[in-house]
Amino acid sequence: MSLNDSLEGDVRDFLVNEAELHTYDDLTKVNPVTPTTVLKCLQARYSARVFYTHAGCTLVALNPFQPIPHLYSLDVMREYHSAPQPQDFKPHIFIVAEEAYRNVQGQVEPVDQSLVVSGESGAGKTWTSRCLMKYYATVAASSHKCQDTVERIERRVLDSNPVMEAFGNACTLRNNNSSRFGKYIQLQLNSSQLLVGASVQTYLLEKTRVAFQAPNERNFHIFYQMMKGATEKQRQEWEMPYNQKFSWLPNADKTLEEDRLQETAEAMISLGIDTDKRTQIFRVLASILQLGNVNFSLASESQPCDLDEESKATLLQVPVDELQDCLTVRTLRAGKQNVLLKPCSQSECVIRRDCLAKVIYAQLFEWLVTFINNSMCSDNSKWCNFIGLLDVYGFECFLLNNLEQLCINYANEKLQQHFVAHYLKAQQEEYVAEGLEWSFVRYQDNQSCLDLIEGSPTGILSLLNEECRLNRASDAKQFRVRLEKELSGNTRMSWDKFSKQPHFIVAHYAGRVSYQIEGMMEKNKDPVPPELLSLLQKSKNPLLQSLFAASDAEGNGSRAQSKVVTVVSKFKNSLESLMKILHGTTPHYTRCIKPNPDCRPLTFKKEEVITQLEACGIVETIHISAADCCYFTLELLEEQRDRVRSQKAFCIQCCWRRYQRRQRAIRTQSATLIQAGTASTQMAKSVRAAQMDALAEAELDNAEDLLEEEESCSLPALDPLLKERGSVQLSSIPEPVAVHGWPLGLAMASAPNITVALTATGFQKVMSLMATLKIPFRHGEYKVETNQFDQGVASIRAQPRGSVKLHLRRSPLRYADMHPGQNADGVTGFNQILLEKT
Ligand SMILES: Nc1ncnc2c1ncn2[C@@H]1O[C@H](COP(=O)(O)OP(=O)(O)OP(=O)(O)O)[C@@H](O)[C@H]1O
């Protein structure tokens, strides 16, 4: 089985599961990734009314061609804005918007962002740009925090849309509201990421439309708005009578929702264009329309043409005869002094008339853009980052293509290269750097096509400029020969051998386009006769006058300059500065797809869509992003590992804590037991002490009684009870001496820090004495010392509590205090000790 057979089999297997196809939020999940599977998925989603789908790093937006309720409501905006992970939500343009916004907040380099919206005419670029602007005007709104000027900024940013669309959009065969210019809007954010201003840069307004409208197309919206929406008073002011027919306003009967003068006027007011200025603007526009009605009648070959009678109205607020001269007579200069006047042919007059209209309209548009910028642009010190929205015309390929298409397709090549360089190439290089096994996807690197167009000195644009700078009449055939001579070896360039028209074919990344050469040089030179410019400076309309005040109408020296600055050089320069800006930002790509050529709601034409998918290289993008997804898969595994690790760590922590808890409980229990034991011991001690106190009290009472009795009796006569309770004989005394004192129990209980040395005749006697005194004998409580002479018990020491008084009384006995074997002189006489409890 061949590789192709197996791929087809896989494709069939994938497509069998049709009920599932619409669930693929990201085309990178489609497997296998082929134009067929991608197309089927998008179709299934479109049928399910799901219009946004991720394609890796890009967002694919399918145009529903009808308003979808609640798809862009404030609630939805807030939902995406407040979501912790907006990417987890359904694919939406707000995800792209929010991601860019969070990048600015996160200050991840490069902090400035660009949202590149591309697609062919009618695909939904302008709609998408409007949604993005509304989103930022909502989520980055600062009006509730700051002064009301800021509120005006948000309003102005949004109001710039209807004004620019009225002047720059027109109904074409492919789109009722087609932008006839490219634009890059920078939304300026302050350090708190609040919208504080905006600026807009426009590219290549299709000014030829003012004087020429292709069959079934219309002029710019603003003219129809004036014609349909003006009040009687306004018509008078603008000199635009009711029922007047204008040859430059074809298909006026076509009613479009864009024909709303009121909305445009209100937006102009909000942008700060006052009544006076508005009137001047509308008068200029009305003059342009009047100019379109000017016809020329030929009197004779040698005479200049004459303006038709009905055309001799006060046009452009300039003298009619001067206007007539300018339109019908050419001024030729030979050196500084020699001026030659040459009557124009009828067709030349028409060209001069059209030229006048185009230059006025282009200049007015530029003035408007500058005014809008001044109105909404913030002071440089007040903003620090921006989010740029790029809405440029998509790739164009018509039956007849000329300089406009060459410029547009050149711009698209540039953007495609930016996309390729920034994403596809960078991504593959990253895989290599990370050592990922990766089979390279062959994406279309369009550098060779760009070399063909912009290369110097032999690129198409250089050769075209060179041809235009030669001071000779343009010759299409001659230029074709020159091109063939210089570029025939280039594989991107070809010619149709059977075509008689001078042309060249360029193989663009999105397809081959045949450009006709006829008229290309004139368009590139875009000459404006200087006499026309001087005429406009004489206008009584202050706005018109100011529009041309700065121009060097005399043509002194400016001709040489105007030769240099051709249309393509100007366009190339502005494109290069745009690319420079884009390279300094983090880009986000949105590919708008037009699902059918007739702008019919919810209609999906496969052939139409597949061509667009191929043109923007979406399949290659998905391939590379799918690999990127494998790499994410890797991240998923990493995540899983982290999760398992943290589970295990949690488990270990739990076990450790449980162990610690148990240890603590054991310690607490033991401590409680020890404390209980100590407490009970202490309690027992104090109970015992209390008992002894009580006993001592009782004995003291008895002893006192006995002492009193004793004092009154003879000494040797010892009370047997006293003998029994407390009197002891000192063994050191040869003759037993009765020591009268406190009973031993009492002494022990009451005499702190006094060691009462009692001599007994034997341990047994002491023990029995103690037993008699009911003193419990415990080891350690009493210290029993043996007498050093007779080896009997010498003393029982205790640490009695409380304080005692010592009463020493001299004994009446002569040798009562003598120790046997000691010097007899050592009589102290204090041989009787009485203790008294204090
Ligand atoms: N998301 C959408 N929801 C509903 N309608 C849409 C949407 N996007 C586009 N449209 C419809 O499609 C029309 C064409 O869209 P838009 O003007 O934005 O195309 P474009 O790509 O800017 O075309 P051009 O290059 O000609 O200016 C809009 O006027 C609108 O009616």
Side-chain angles (χ1 to χ4, degrees), residues 297-311:
S297 52
L298 193 63
S300 75
E301 281 293 319
S302 57
Q303 288 296 307
C305 294
D306 200 10
L307 258 67
D308 282 351
E309 264 321 297
E310 57 183 307
S311 302

Side-chain angles (χ1 to χ4, degrees), residues 323-557:
L323 175 68
Q324 162 134 359
D325 288 348
C326 282
L327 292 179
T328 58
V329 180
R330 191 178 338 153
T331 309
L332 297 171
R333 288 175 194 275
K336 280 196 174 172
Q337 303 299 322
N338 300 333
V339 176
L340 213 76
L341 298 177
K342 188 172 178 259
C344 298
S345 67
Q346 211 170 357
S347 60
E348 280 173 341
C349 291
V350 170
I351 291 173
R352 287 169 83 85
R353 177 201 66 186
D354 293 357
C355 174
L356 185 63
K358 284 188 282 184
V359 77
I360 294 172
Y361 195 79
Q363 208 70 7
L364 179 65
F365 187 76
E366 214 165 281
W367 176 87
L368 205 59
V369 171
T370 310
F371 192 97
I372 290 172
N373 272 330
N374 290 339
S375 156
M376 62 185 190
C377 195
S378 165
D379 190 87
N380 269 357
S381 61
K382 291 196 178 127
W383 64 276
C384 43
N385 294 115
F386 68 82
I387 297 178
L389 312 181
L390 182 65
D391 168 10
V392 286
Y393 9 59
F395 181 76
E396 289 189 351
C397 178
F398 305 131
L399 271 176
L400 290 178
N401 303 290
N402 208 292
L403 191 73
E404 295 87 347
Q405 281 68 44
L406 182 64
C407 289
I408 288 171
N409 293 342
Y410 167 47
N412 276 276
E413 289 283 358
K414 276 279 197 200
L415 289 175
Q416 177 67 8
Q417 192 195 39
H418 175 259
F419 175 71
V420 166
H422 186 86
Y423 189 71
L424 303 186
K425 217 169 172 177
Q427 204 65 35
Q428 302 214 50
E429 280 166 8
E430 196 180 315
Y431 295 158
V432 174
E434 290 184 0
L436 287 182
E437 264 191 39
W438 167 252
S439 58
F440 277 78
V441 166
R442 278 172 55 84
Y443 53 79
Q444 294 202 33
D445 188 343
N446 58 347
Q447 187 55 53
S448 57
C449 188
L450 278 167
D451 289 342
L452 171 70
I453 298 174
E454 64 180 7
S456 181
T458 51
I460 296 172
L461 302 186
S462 295
L463 292 171
L464 185 62
N465 278 341
E466 196 185 293
E467 188 69 21
C468 293
R469 278 173 204 142
L470 294 172
N471 204 6
R472 69 178 186 205
S474 310
D475 185 336
K477 283 194 180 126
Q478 222 169 349
F479 185 54
R480 183 204 186 283
V481 172
R482 176 110 168 90
L483 282 178
E484 205 161 357
K485 184 171 165 254
E486 295 292 344
L487 299 165
S488 57
N490 195 312
T491 50
R492 292 273 190 171
M493 186 81 152
S494 60
W495 288 268
D496 180 356
K497 290 197 173 54
F498 302 104
S499 170
K500 291 212 170 64
Q501 295 299 324
H503 72 287
F504 60 91
I505 299 169
V506 177
H508 288 285
Y509 77 95
R512 285 156 56 88
V513 181
S514 174
Y515 298 96
Q516 63 167 25
I517 299 175
E518 199 67 67
M520 198 175 260
M521 275 79 82
E522 277 309 299
K523 284 186 178 181
N524 190 35
K525 285 189 228 170
D526 194 24
V528 181
E531 50 271 30
L532 292 185
L533 299 177
S534 353
L535 174 78
L536 293 171
Q537 287 179 348
K538 293 179 193 159
S539 171
K540 290 210 167 56
N541 183 319
L543 176 65
L544 196 55
Q545 201 188 72
S546 72
L547 289 183
F548 294 93
S551 63
D552 188 351
E554 291 307 314
N556 302 328

Side-chain angles (χ1 to χ4, degrees), residues 131-386:
C131 284
L132 289 166
M133 285 170 81
K134 272 187 205 152
Y135 186 83
Y136 291 123
T138 307
V139 304
S142 49
S143 51
H144 55 287
K145 294 206 180 100
C146 306
Q147 331 82 346
D148 55 336
T149 50
V150 180
E151 186 175 8
R152 289 212 302 272
I153 284 296
E154 286 140 18
R155 197 60 271 143
R156 283 179 184 193
V157 170
L158 295 180
D159 279 336
S160 67
N161 279 329
V163 176
M164 300 231 319
E165 284 184 27
F167 283 79
N169 287 23
C171 172
T172 67
L173 283 177
R174 298 180 305 153
N175 181 5
N176 284 349
N177 184 30
S178 184
S179 308
R180 309 316 301 158
F181 65 105
K183 63 172 182 281
Y184 183 60
I185 302 166
Q186 279 187 345
L187 301 174
Q188 300 158 341
L189 305 174
N190 68 6
S191 54
S192 313
Q193 288 79 49
L194 300 175
L195 184 67
V196 289
S199 70
V200 60
Q201 165 81 46
T202 58
Y203 304 94
L204 209 70
L205 174 75
E206 189 199 40
K207 60 181 177 186
T208 47
R209 183 168 292 271
V210 176
F212 173 78
Q213 304 78 38
N216 293 319
E217 295 204 350
R218 298 204 325 181
N219 209 324
F220 292 102
H221 291 324
I222 189 69
F223 295 116
Y224 298 90
Q225 292 181 357
M226 288 169 68
M227 201 178 75
K228 294 179 179 185
T231 60
E232 198 45 52
K233 185 167 166 272
Q234 283 170 327
R235 285 180 179 283
Q236 280 170 13
E237 274 174 1
W238 305 340
E239 295 186 36
M240 197 175 158
Y242 191 72
N243 273 345
Q244 190 179 6
K245 292 271 180 277
F246 295 104
S247 59
W248 282 347
L249 288 192
N251 303 305
D253 49 333
K254 196 168 182 173
T255 310
L256 295 182
E257 59 172 291
E258 282 77 18
D259 297 339
R260 285 190 296 231
L261 181 68
Q262 192 58 26
E263 194 183 320
T264 307
E266 277 167 16
M268 286 167 97
I269 294 168
S270 147
L271 287 166
I273 304 176
D274 61 28
T275 318
D276 239 24
K277 265 288 177 282
R278 285 203 308 280
T279 307
Q280 289 168 27
I281 291 170
F282 288 121
R283 282 208 70 170
V284 171
L285 292 170
S287 293
I288 290 175
L289 286 182
Q290 302 288 4
L291 205 57
N293 284 357
V294 167
N295 286 312
F296 304 91
S297 52
L298 193 63
S300 75
E301 281 293 319
S302 57
Q303 288 296 307
C305 294
D306 200 10
L307 258 67
D308 282 351
E309 264 321 297
E310 57 183 307
S311 302
K312 289 183 179 170
T314 327
L315 282 171
L316 302 167
Q317 293 169 273
V318 293
V320 179
D321 49 343
E322 282 193 42
L323 175 68
Q324 162 134 359
D325 288 348
C326 282
L327 292 179
T328 58
V329 180
R330 191 178 338 153
T331 309
L332 297 171
R333 288 175 194 275
K336 280 196 174 172
Q337 303 299 322
N338 300 333
V339 176
L340 213 76
L341 298 177
K342 188 172 178 259
C344 298
S345 67
Q346 211 170 357
S347 60
E348 280 173 341
C349 291
V350 170
I351 291 173
R352 287 169 83 85
R353 177 201 66 186
D354 293 357
C355 174
L356 185 63
K358 284 188 282 184
V359 77
I360 294 172
Y361 195 79
Q363 208 70 7
L364 179 65
F365 187 76
E366 214 165 281
W367 176 87
L368 205 59
V369 171
T370 310
F371 192 97
I372 290 172
N373 272 330
N374 290 339
S375 156
M376 62 185 190
C377 195
S378 165
D379 190 87
N380 269 357
S381 61
K382 291 196 178 127
W383 64 276
C384 43
N385 294 115
F386 68 82

Side-chain angles (χ1 to χ4, degrees), residues 515-655:
Y515 298 96
Q516 63 167 25
I517 299 175
E518 199 67 67
M520 198 175 260
M521 275 79 82
E522 277 309 299
K523 284 186 178 181
N524 190 35
K525 285 189 228 170
D526 194 24
V528 181
E531 50 271 30
L532 292 185
L533 299 177
S534 353
L535 174 78
L536 293 171
Q537 287 179 348
K538 293 179 193 159
S539 171
K540 290 210 167 56
N541 183 319
L543 176 65
L544 196 55
Q545 201 188 72
S546 72
L547 289 183
F548 294 93
S551 63
D552 188 351
E554 291 307 314
N556 302 328
S558 75
R559 281 187 66 79
Q561 207 188 351
S562 68
K563 270 185 184 177
V564 178
V565 188
T566 58
V567 169
V568 294
S569 348
K570 252 193 273 178
F571 187 68
K572 190 166 175 265
N573 285 343
S574 55
L575 200 57
E576 268 162 15
S577 55
L578 170 71
M579 297 317 291
K580 214 182 259 175
I581 296 174
L582 288 188
H583 281 301
T585 62
T586 302
H588 306 259
Y589 306 95
T590 301
R591 303 282 192 191
C592 297
I593 303 283
K594 187 180 182 182
N596 69 79
D598 315 310
C599 307
R600 264 186 281 132
L602 303 174
T603 308
F604 192 96
K605 288 266 193 292
K606 282 192 271 186
E607 319 74 52
E608 178 86 7
V609 175
I610 198 91
T611 321
Q612 293 170 64
L613 293 179
E614 277 166 3
C616 64
I618 207 83
V619 175
E620 288 95 329
T621 310
I622 299 166
H623 265 301
I624 294 174
S625 303
D628 208 12
C629 284
C630 288
Y631 185 52
F632 283 146
T633 309
L634 209 74
E635 282 201 348
L636 215 68
L637 286 172
E638 287 284 347
E639 245 173 54
Q640 203 119 3
R641 189 169 68 160
D642 281 351
R643 207 174 309 133
V644 170
R645 269 183 174 174
S646 89
Q647 271 172 2
K648 297 295 173 211
F650 180 69
C651 188
I652 293 168
Q653 283 170 356
C654 286
C655 290

Side-chain angles (χ1 to χ4, degrees), residues 63-67 72 120-127 175 177-179:
N63 187 346
F65 283 117
Q66 72 171 31
Y72 306 101
E120 71 168 55
S121 179
K125 301 182 293 291
T126 308
W127 178 288
N175 181 5
N177 184 30
S178 184
S179 308

